[in-house]
Every structure is written in C-alpha cells, then in structure tokens.
Amino acid sequence: MNGINQPINVAVVGLGFMGVTHLRAYLENPLARVAAVCGTNRLPVNGVLPGVAGNIKKSDDIYLGADVKVFRRFEELLADPEIDLIDICTPTPLHPEQVILALKAGKHVVCEKPLARTSAAAREVLEVRRQSPGILFPAMCMRFWPGWSWLKKVVAEQTYGKNFAAHFFRFSERPGWSAAGSYTGKVDHGGALFDLHIHDTDFALHLFGKPASVFSNGVLNAEGTVEHVVTQYQYPGGPAVSAQGSWLLTSGFNMGYQLHCERATIEFNLANGANALQVMERNREPEIISTTGPDGYSAEINYALECIAANRAPEIVTAADAVAALEICEAEDASLRTGQVVPVPI
C-alpha cells in the first residue's frame, strides 16, 4: 500500500447515486486519488462519468481522468496491488461478500449502509475485520451531517439541560432504482426500514445507546416489504425517543428531528433551507444555527481517509455500530409484523 505521505489509491464499486457521491468526495480530498472504478451498468466514457439523481439532489457529470482504471469484474479489482481502499456502493445484498473479499485481500474498506441485510451477516463481516489488517468504515452519514453532528454534542453535554424526548423523521418517494423495477420481494434490499429508516435508528443509537426494546407499526406493500415505519425506542428511565421513516411521500425528500430539553426545544427540518436548524428557548426569539460546510457524505469520507492515513481505527462510527443498528432494525421489523414489543439484543 501507499506510504503515509502519498495519496490513498481509491476504487469505488457501484456507480449509482451513492457511488457518484462518494467519488466526488474523494476527488475533492488531497488525501485520496481515484485510481479505479468498478461497475456493471454505468461506466465512465473517456474519463467522464454521467451524473445521476438521488433523494438529496441531482449530481453533475464528473471527470475522473483519462488514467482511471475501469473494471467490470470485482475479482479483477481485488487483484490490483495499487488499490489501497475499496469503497462499496453496490446494492445491499452484495455488501457482505464484497466487504469480506476486500478485507481478505488486505484492502481498507468503506461500505455504504447497511453493512449487510441481516445482523448475522454483518457479524460475519465483523469477525473477518478482526483478523484483517485493513480498516473497515461503515458509511453512516447522519453521524456527520451538519446539524446532526452538532446535536450529538448538545445531547452529550446537556447544553440545554436534561434531554426529555426526541423524534426523528425521514420521508422519501420510492427511490429511482426501486421504481425502475430492480426492487422486488425476490431480491431483499430491506425496504424503507433498512434502506432509509436505518439512518434514524443509527442516530438514536449514536445519541442514546441501544434501547432495551422497540415497538413499531407501519405499512407493508403487497410483497410484505416495509414501506412506512413508526418506532418507539424504549429506554428505561428516559428519554422518550421515536422515529418515523417512509417511502410513501408523493415526491421529493425531507428529514428532520425535534429534541425537547429542560430549557429549549431544538428543531431541524431540511425543508426550511438555510433556517433548517432552530433553537427555541423560553422567553427568547428562536435562534437559527448555521449548518454550512460539507454535507454528511463528504464529511464521512474525509474522516475515513484521515483514519486510514493515520492507521487509526474510526471512533465516530465503528463496524460494531453497524451491527447494532441492524439488530435494532430487525427488532423493529419483528415488532411491526407481530404487534408486540420486541427486546433488542444486549
């Protein structure tokens, strides 16, 4: 692998919206050099990769350079000794096998959420990671998102007093890859619960730790896949924490949260643009908190590169966190289907 003073040679696998988003972050960071891409459907032509639409925005075309290597087969990419870091942005069912192969090949790995479709498969990945020299970074972008990373500090330091209650929401129209027909009950991507709502489950985990149990209800489609979920995360002694995730939005995307503290209510609503984050204290005018800076995608990639360059295991998000988020989501899925409160594994 490259020395610490040389750029980290990166290969991105899967060139949909998330692959393009990650590529853009690498191209903007001097610690990285985009050395290769790998895909089956979308590949660069003369070094140019077309943009693609996602639930946050439509990306522009990006120029990767004439010397970027192009692979169609993942196995050929693994054999390239120049590649230091492999970034997995393929569909969820492919994640565990590809991450394990990359780790066994001695590569560092960034993997889009979720790390696997099931916690059992994610634990297998975790076991391989323990025996491998490479760093594994699960890309849980909300831990790095402006206004959300700020909230982590507020909760930890009890800036506005005791934290009483929190609610998170994330609403989207059905994603493009799903509407195009690649999402079916036969290929289990996890639906809105594991593809979308897992962000808020992970953030509740990040703020408050594992809940003792969950209670969920929601909407299933004709194939039995979750389209909409509402969950109460039960923490004995508080706070009261809930989250709502949905693919039923007619069009567009929105996300946000409310945190109720002793001395203030904090609210984030993406739809409010520059005024997305407000702190409302008693007997004071609402304060707008700036959320400028790199988005969560870029911030998480920057952090992953810093960890790799320093040969330091990530702390803001770990592979164990990725397993825990899946365990909670599985409990939510079981609760939604049975109507029962379901305990979360310790």
Side-chain angles (χ1 to χ4, degrees), residues 172-216:
S172 174
E173 61 186 296
R174 179 180 279 274
W177 52 265
S178 172
S182 63
Y183 177 84
T184 70
K186 296 178 181 179
V187 180
D188 187 4
H189 296 80
L193 199 164
F194 289 88
D195 183 73
L196 180 80
H197 173 74
I198 191 172
H199 280 300
D200 293 317
T201 293
D202 176 70
F203 203 73
L205 171 69
H206 186 45
L207 293 183
F208 306 114
K210 262 190 174 184
S213 59
V214 297
F215 178 70
S216 303

Side-chain angles (χ1 to χ4, degrees), residues 14-213:
L15 302 175
F17 174 71
M18 289 314 309
V20 169
T21 300
H22 285 203
L23 278 169
R24 195 175 305 281
Y26 289 120
L27 290 169
E28 293 173 350
N29 192 309
L31 289 175
R33 170 181 171 263
V34 177
V37 294
C38 180
T40 56
N41 298 321
R42 301 178 69 254
L43 291 170
V45 177
N46 298 323
V48 177
L49 185 67
V52 63
N55 60 4
I56 300 294
K57 59 185 177 181
K58 169 70 169 67
S59 65
D60 297 323
D61 294 358
I62 54 176
Y63 181 62
L64 300 176
D67 60 344
V68 66
K69 298 178 182 178
V70 177
F71 294 91
R72 288 185 177 274
R73 291 177 53 81
F74 186 67
E75 296 76 12
E76 294 175 356
L77 170 63
L78 290 176
D80 189 330
E82 293 186 356
I83 301 302
D84 303 313
L85 166 62
I86 294 181
D87 186 315
I88 305 295
C89 291
T90 53
T92 298
L94 301 177
H95 289 179
E97 180 182 4
Q98 291 180 333
V99 172
I100 287 172
L101 288 172
L103 288 171
K104 287 184 174 179
K107 311 296 187 183
H108 302 297
V109 180
V110 170
C111 181
E112 249 308 307
K113 61 80 196 155
L115 184 59
R117 172 57 184 84
T118 67
S119 62
R123 283 190 288 272
E124 292 179 10
V125 173
L126 189 58
E127 192 58 38
V128 172
R129 198 276 307 164
R130 292 189 180 113
Q131 303 170 33
S132 303
I135 289 171
L136 172 58
F137 183 89
M140 306 299 292
C141 66
M142 296 317 300
R143 295 188 180 213
F144 301 86
W145 207 273
W148 297 65
S149 56
W150 174 88
L151 186 67
K152 168 64 175 175
K153 184 177 180 181
V154 166
V155 168
E157 297 180 358
Q158 294 195 355
T159 306
Y160 300 98
K162 186 176 180 180
N163 305 302
F164 289 132
H167 178 71
F168 305 89
F169 69 88
R170 188 169 307 270
F171 304 142
S172 174
E173 61 186 296
R174 179 180 279 274
W177 52 265
S178 172
S182 63
Y183 177 84
T184 70
K186 296 178 181 179
V187 180
D188 187 4
H189 296 80
L193 199 164
F194 289 88
D195 183 73
L196 180 80
H197 173 74
I198 191 172
H199 280 300
D200 293 317
T201 293
D202 176 70
F203 203 73
L205 171 69
H206 186 45
L207 293 183
F208 306 114
K210 262 190 174 184
S213 59

Side-chain angles (χ1 to χ4, degrees), residues 211-217 231-235 330-344:
S213 59
V214 297
F215 178 70
S216 303
N217 60 21
T231 294
Q232 295 176 351
Y233 306 91
Q234 299 182 340
Y235 294 92
E330 286 173 335
E332 293 180 66
D333 189 66
S335 178
L336 188 155
R337 295 175 190 278
T338 63
Q340 303 296 313
V341 173
V342 176
V344 174

Side-chain angles (χ1 to χ4, degrees), residues 4 8 31 108 135 137 300-317:
I4 194 169
I8 298 164
L31 289 175
H108 302 297
I135 289 171
F137 183 89
E300 70 180 353
I301 294 299
N302 294 344
Y303 177 71
L305 289 169
E306 290 167 7
C307 290
I308 292 168
N311 196 29
R312 180 183 71 242
E315 296 179 353
I316 296 177
V317 60

Side-chain angles (χ1 to χ4, degrees), residues 216-249:
S216 303
N217 60 21
V219 177
L220 301 175
N221 65 16
E223 296 166 341
T225 302
V226 177
E227 296 274 276
H228 183 98
V229 58
V230 183
T231 294
Q232 295 176 351
Y233 306 91
Q234 299 182 340
Y235 294 92
V241 182
S242 61
Q244 187 175 10
S246 183
W247 272 355
L248 298 180
L249 195 64

